[in-house]
Amino acid sequence: MKKITIAIDGFSSCGKSTMAKDLAREIGYIYIDSGAMYRAVTLYCLQNGLFLADGNVDLEALKQHMPKIRISFCLNETSGRPDTYLNGENVEQQIRTMEVSGKVSLIAAVGFVREALVRMQQELGKDKGIVMDGRDIGTTVFPDAELKIYVTASAEIRAQRRYDELKAKGEAVDFNEILFNVQERDRIDMTRAVSPLRKAADAIELDNSHMTIEEQKAWLKEQYLQAASK
Ligand code: DC
């Protein structure tokens, strides 16, 4: 079977990371969560006071700081999944908080941040054998990927999934706040000037609103087998 590039794009909290990670582990591919990279830059901005009093990011300061931001991934032996590191520190938990989720779309809309992260993502995938998920993987990062998937689900279903996930981690959460956050991120992700979220012309669409994780996994594995044996 030939080694391919698998690009999985879609809305926030639509379950694409879970299916992407599981497929990568099963077929021995590298898995990269590109959203984690935008989240890590956001965390860096929060930790270094780069957000202004009006809530926007200080673009000049961030541009100066960009060369100092190093993001890497390292396999967590316990979970069997890669953890995200920011300048050598494991930030996997810190990048998933509501504080980071509330700010990350602003950072993801900054052109020079996207350029830097896209370059890193292309470097990580240069040898193929990679599953990467995000918003612009099939359109901008790997336009020649052999398999492109575009995942959708209703905002309410995605908010419910996120609510259940945060609650299970013991975070105090409010469903309406999460729904608002999901809808707001959809709006910003789809309307931003640079690399807005959109389906690549050659992507296969999957609406998983009413699918179980097991059903999604089986569906994705089938798509992979077909694409890799072409
Ligand atoms: O998938 P996620 O929710 O962790 O993504 C976090 C944010 O980063 C989200 O607002 C969209 C943005 N993002 C992006 O613009 N491009 C990507 N390739 C991945 C994520």
Side-chain angles (χ1 to χ4, degrees):
M1 198 95 67
K2 70 174 182 217
K3 242 190 194 182
I4 62 168
T5 300
I6 304 174
I8 304 190
D9 289 304
F11 292 106
S12 67
S13 306
C14 66
K16 57 187 188 308
S17 300
T18 307
M19 66 191 237
K21 276 178 203 161
D22 288 351
L23 176 73
R25 189 165 42 179
E26 195 181 334
I27 65 177
Y29 274 29
I30 295 168
Y31 164 70
I32 299 291
D33 170 0
S34 67
M37 299 168 80
Y38 291 94
R39 286 172 178 273
V41 175
T42 307
L43 180 66
Y44 181 95
C45 293
L46 286 165
Q47 288 176 337
N48 290 276
L50 302 189
F51 283 105
L52 303 165
D54 66 3
N56 284 313
V57 66
D58 182 341
L59 288 173
E60 275 315 306
L62 177 55
K63 207 179 257 175
Q64 303 295 321
H65 279 256
M66 268 323 273
K68 291 189 270 182
I69 305 181
R70 281 177 296 107
I71 302 164
S72 53
F73 295 94
C74 186
L75 191 73
N76 177 323
E77 297 294 343
T78 316
S79 66
R81 290 169 174 184
D83 280 350
T84 311
Y85 285 71
L86 173 60
N87 291 339
E89 187 197 348
N90 186 331
V91 292
E92 189 55 37
Q93 301 301 321
Q94 290 178 72
I95 60 169
R96 310 285 166 194
T97 59
M98 284 297 282
E99 191 186 17
V100 170
S101 297
K103 292 275 186 207
V104 65
S105 287
L106 288 173
I107 299 298
V110 178
F112 64 81
V113 171
R114 298 204 72 85
E115 278 166 28
L117 296 190
V118 166
R119 261 199 310 276
M120 281 178 62
Q121 290 152 8
Q122 289 171 334
E123 181 62 27
L124 288 164
K126 70 179 187 321
D127 297 326
K128 296 189 179 275
I130 192 166
V131 183
M132 192 175 289
D133 74 37
R135 305 293 189 284
D136 60 341
I137 311 306
T139 52
T140 305
V141 181
F142 300 128
D144 299 327
E146 290 84 352
L147 178 59
K148 298 181 186 177
I149 310 288
Y150 186 78
V151 192
T152 65
S154 76
E156 285 72 19
I157 284 183
R158 288 182 285 130
Q160 186 64 50
R161 290 177 184 158
R162 188 94 190 101
Y163 175 85
D164 294 343
E165 208 176 283
L166 290 170
K167 198 120 190 259
K169 282 192 205 158
E171 270 201 54
V173 281
D174 172 57
F175 177 80
N176 287 323
E177 189 189 337
I178 293 179
L179 180 59
F180 177 76
N181 176 259
V182 164
Q183 288 168 332
E184 199 45 23
R185 276 200 285 160
D186 287 357
R187 188 185 63 75
I188 300 177
D189 289 347
M190 293 180 83
T191 56
R192 70 172 170 235
V194 199
S195 280
L197 168 66
R198 64 182 169 80
K199 180 176 172 288
D202 52 350
I204 306 167
E205 186 163 340
L206 171 72
D207 181 341
N208 68 7
S209 297
H210 303 290
M211 280 171 97
T212 64
I213 290 179
E214 287 311 314
E215 284 168 342
Q216 285 179 64
K217 276 170 65 173
W219 179 88
L220 184 61
K221 176 82 182 291
E222 186 51 39
Q223 305 307 315
Y224 156 71
L225 291 172
Q226 282 181 27
S229 57
K230 261 185 201 156

